[in-house]
Amino acid sequence: MQKISTRIFIYASITFGILGILIVIFQPKDNSLLTRLLLANVFIILPSFALSVAGKYLNGKP
């Protein structure tokens, strides 16, 4: 059960990152460049952190 939930968590994290980057790319151009870069960072850093945590559980390490 833990393996299945970890895989679902991985897929959800990847989907979150992809959809987030698409939102940043296709949002209206009236936002500043800094705001767009910060949002892009959030949508890259959060999924990568989540994937590293999930990878530990899939490898069997505590």
Side-chain angles (χ1 to χ4, degrees):
M1 185 64 157
Q2 181 180 359
K3 198 171 217 176
I4 294 170
S5 61
T6 305
R7 290 194 186 273
I8 291 172
F9 182 69
I10 288 173
Y11 295 137
S13 298
I14 291 171
T15 304
F16 175 77
I18 291 170
L19 290 177
I21 293 298
L22 288 175
I23 288 171
V24 170
I25 290 172
F26 293 116
Q27 72 182 353
K29 302 293 181 192
D30 59 344
N31 289 344
S32 68
L33 179 63
L34 181 61
T35 304
R36 293 169 66 106
L37 290 175
L38 287 172
L39 280 174
N41 268 341
V42 167
F43 290 120
I44 291 171
I45 291 172
L46 284 178
S48 65
F49 174 71
L51 291 175
S52 69
V53 170
K56 288 182 181 180
Y57 284 107
L58 281 181
N59 290 334
K61 298 176 185 175

